């Protein structure tokens, strides 16, 4: 480590630090925890005050929950949200209940601990875990991440605005984890098209999928199947789906997501889909929501579905989570990808800091590892998404799996592990 750059603990006011992490969502918290555990000084910046809401289905899949535990999230934070026991899929051809009934089926779901936990709660628990590990959380809207002139090779200067005025921090490296539209990640040159499949390009993806947009609201007094996440794939909501995800005490997170290609009227289209999903008596959700009451206004947010041509590594900078378009194009799930790539980015920077080399070639293995691990997955989801957009395919699939006894445990396991 270069002299004069602190190790362990934070820095007062503006100043220098080993790593600045931009964005305290799952990707940023995972990176901050990993770096702090490696003994590095880390400042975790977010424009929002925590706890903060993030429009989401709140489905913390089995992979994401396993990561959260690895990162030190306290069991007491998870305890109020019971493990899911299965899933229900409704489409024009009818519904299929994927909750295993036999003891053997239920046993096969051991190790598939997935829960619905509001992001207001889950993300705050991740941030607390990062703070316990030694990271320092600060409120700041980051405007720019430029080179640190006169600093070490690869060093970065982060400027932004906090509640008390301008913020200027110098860091040996930065993790860009600002989620959808992250301006720090967008600030580095995109991977050239020809190089996107090349490790040195550092990007993820080749053919780019459409973007996603989703709207969700909270309800009380919901009469949905207990302990099951419910997906609705009726023809009118394709390409996309509606969901009802149960929360304790009869609450539920209810939403609709769809694909968009840019252009006017997308938000209005989404709102119409959402209203039809919750109100139309022919919608499966409307039955479960009869007698339920909305808990606040619904919120919408875009999704950077992968794979996309994005550079994930530059001098002194790594991109993690949705800032790198690491979101499944079939499900819209991005929390597990965010936690995984955040932790990997933290490990990669801890190694590079120990070796004293933060230039792009030394950070390239991170981009390569992320590509190797996630590109096949994102592509497979893209293929499945296109196939399932045809209602006839869905009808045939549901008819085929409904009578098969292993369909419930296998289907539930698959759906609980998608995020
Ligand atoms: C409606 C909806 C439903 C979804 N449902 C699910 C689901 O059920 N399960 C699932 O796995 N995924 C779901 N997703 C996807 C998931 O929400 C994201 O992929 C995930 O949050 C990505 O995590 P992240 O840490 O990369 O980014 P984020 O969670 O978006 O966190 C980014 C953070 O960076 C901060 N930030 C941004 N810019 C700046 C800046 N300039 N300066 C400082 N701070 C900044 C933001 O305030 C934010 O806190 C859903 C998405 C939507 C829109």
């Amino acid at each position: 480590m270069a002299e004069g750059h602190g190790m362990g603990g934070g820095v007062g006011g503006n100043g220098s630090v080993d790593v600045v992490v931009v964005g305290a969502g799952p990707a940023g918290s995972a990176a901050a925890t990993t770096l702090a555990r490696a003994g590095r000084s880390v400042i975790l910046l977010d424009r929002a005050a925590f706890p903060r809401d993030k429009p989401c289905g709140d489905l913390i899949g089995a992979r994401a929950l396993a990561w959260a535990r690895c990162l030190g999230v306290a069991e007491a934070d998870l305890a109020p949200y019971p493990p899911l026991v299965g899933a229900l899929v409704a489409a024009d051809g009818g519904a299929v209940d994927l909750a295993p009934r036999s003891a053997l089926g239920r046993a096969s779901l051991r190790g598939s601990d997935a829960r619905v936990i509001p992001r207001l709660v889950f993300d705050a628990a991740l941030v607390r875990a990062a703070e316990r590990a030694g990271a320092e959380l600060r409120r700041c809207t980051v405007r720019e991440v430029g080179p640190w002139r006169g600093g070490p090779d690869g060093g970065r200067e982060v400027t932004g605005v906090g509640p008390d005025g301008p913020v200027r921090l110098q860091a040996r490296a930065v993790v860009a984890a600002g989620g959808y539209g992250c301006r720090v990640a967008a600030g580095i040159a995109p991977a050239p098209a020809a190089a996107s499949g090349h490790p040195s390009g550092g990007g993820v993806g080749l053919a780019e999928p459409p973007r996603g947009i989703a709207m969700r609201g909270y309800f009380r007094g919901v009469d949905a199947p207990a302990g099951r996440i419910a997906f609705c794939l009726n023809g009118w909501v394709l390409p996309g789906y509606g969901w009802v995800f149960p929360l304790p005490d009869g609450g539920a997170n209810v939403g609709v997501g769809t694909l968009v290609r840019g252009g006017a009227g997308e938000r209005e289209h989404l709102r119409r889909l959402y209203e039809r999903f919750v109100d139309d008596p022919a919608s499966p959700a409307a039955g479960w929501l009869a007698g339920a009451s909305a808990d606040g206004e619904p919120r919408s947010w875009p999704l950077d579905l992968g794979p996309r041509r994005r550079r994930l590594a530059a001098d002194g900078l790594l991109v993690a989570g949705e800032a790198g378009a690491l979101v499944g194009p079939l499900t819209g799930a991005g929390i597990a990808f965010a936690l995984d790539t955040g932790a990997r980015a933290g490990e990669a920077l801890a190694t590079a800091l120990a070796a004293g080399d933060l230039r792009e070639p030394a950070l390239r293995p991170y981009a390569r590892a992320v590509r190797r691990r996630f590109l096949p997955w994102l592509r497979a989801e893209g293929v499945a998404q296109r196939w399932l957009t045809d209602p006839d395919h869905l009808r045939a699939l549901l008819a085929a799996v409904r009578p098969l006894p292993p369909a419930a445990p296998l289907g539930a396991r698959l759906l609980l592990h998608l995020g």
Side-chain angles (χ1 to χ4, degrees):
M1 189 174 62
E3 244 177 77
H5 307 299
M7 183 167 165
V11 289
N14 295 335
S16 75
V17 69
D18 284 331
V19 181
V20 166
V21 178
V22 180
S29 292
T33 299
T34 309
L35 281 154
R37 282 180 176 171
R40 293 295 166 180
S41 56
V42 190
I43 294 185
L44 179 56
L45 298 177
D46 205 288
R47 63 186 171 201
F50 274 71
R52 65 100 179 85
D53 184 29
K54 155 80 175 71
C56 187
D58 301 334
L59 175 58
I60 315 300
R63 293 180 301 131
L65 203 58
W67 265 114
R69 289 192 164 109
C70 275
L71 291 162
V73 164
E75 284 303 322
D77 288 322
L78 307 175
Y81 305 94
L84 293 162
V85 298
L88 193 116
V89 179
D92 288 339
V96 53
D97 188 351
L98 302 174
R101 294 189 204 294
S102 69
L104 189 65
R106 282 193 295 272
S108 74
L109 283 194
R110 244 178 250 134
S112 304
D113 187 355
R115 304 180 189 211
V116 183
I117 307 177
R119 294 288 296 276
L120 189 80
V121 174
F122 185 68
D123 288 16
L126 284 165
V127 165
R128 278 196 299 278
E131 288 183 299
R132 279 196 298 276
E136 183 186 337
L137 175 70
R138 285 199 204 168
R139 191 149 173 220
C140 169
T141 302
V142 174
R143 299 264 189 247
E144 206 184 329
V145 174
W148 175 3
R149 299 194 195 290
D153 275 352
R156 293 279 177 169
E157 186 165 85
V158 179
T159 49
V161 185
D164 303 321
V167 173
R168 181 181 299 275
L169 292 164
Q170 281 116 12
R172 302 212 50 213
V174 165
V175 177
Y180 183 93
C182 175
R183 61 158 69 208
V184 178
I188 58 175
S196 63
H198 186 276
S200 69
V204 168
L206 299 165
E208 306 224 327
R211 288 202 156 66
I213 185 168
M215 177 172 274
R216 72 96 175 91
Y218 290 108
F219 282 79
R220 280 187 287 235
V222 179
D223 187 20
R228 293 154 173 79
I229 37 174
F231 296 94
C232 300
L233 294 148
N234 299 74
W236 55 267
V237 82
L238 300 174
Y241 65 90
W243 71 82
V244 177
F245 292 164
L247 285 160
D249 304 323
N253 177 317
V254 180
V256 174
T258 188
L259 301 180
V260 290
R261 294 221 174 250
E266 284 171 349
R267 282 187 185 271
E268 291 69 27
H269 172 63
L270 179 69
R271 180 167 272 280
R272 278 196 301 275
L273 283 179
Y274 179 83
E275 284 169 357
R276 181 166 180 185
F277 184 59
V278 300
D279 289 336
D280 186 337
S283 151
W288 302 326
L289 296 177
S293 54
D295 192 0
E297 282 296 306
R299 287 186 68 194
S300 65
W301 201 257
L303 294 106
D304 225 347
L305 306 176
R308 259 171 220 290
R309 216 151 43 74
R310 272 303 148 74
R311 195 179 280 275
L312 300 179
D315 283 345
L317 193 145
L318 293 181
V319 178
E322 189 164 346
L326 294 158
V327 181
L330 173 66
T331 57
I335 298 169
F337 294 118
L339 291 167
D340 190 321
T341 55
R344 279 171 197 265
E347 273 166 25
L349 288 182
T351 305
L353 283 161
D357 185 359
L358 277 300
R359 287 166 308 165
E360 192 268 343
L363 301 182
R364 222 178 271 163
Y366 162 79
R368 246 187 246 135
V370 169
R371 277 178 51 77
R372 251 200 316 271
R373 174 101 175 86
F374 297 119
L375 204 53
W377 180 308
L378 293 172
R379 283 197 184 129
E381 275 204 32
V383 170
Q385 186 277 318
R386 286 189 290 278
W387 192 82
L388 288 172
T389 291
D390 183 332
D392 289 338
H393 289 167
L394 268 167
R395 199 174 281 121
L397 180 70
L398 294 188
V401 303
R402 202 176 281 118
L404 301 175
L410 286 177
R413 203 178 151 76
L414 177 70
L415 289 171
L416 297 181
H417 280 260
L418 279 174

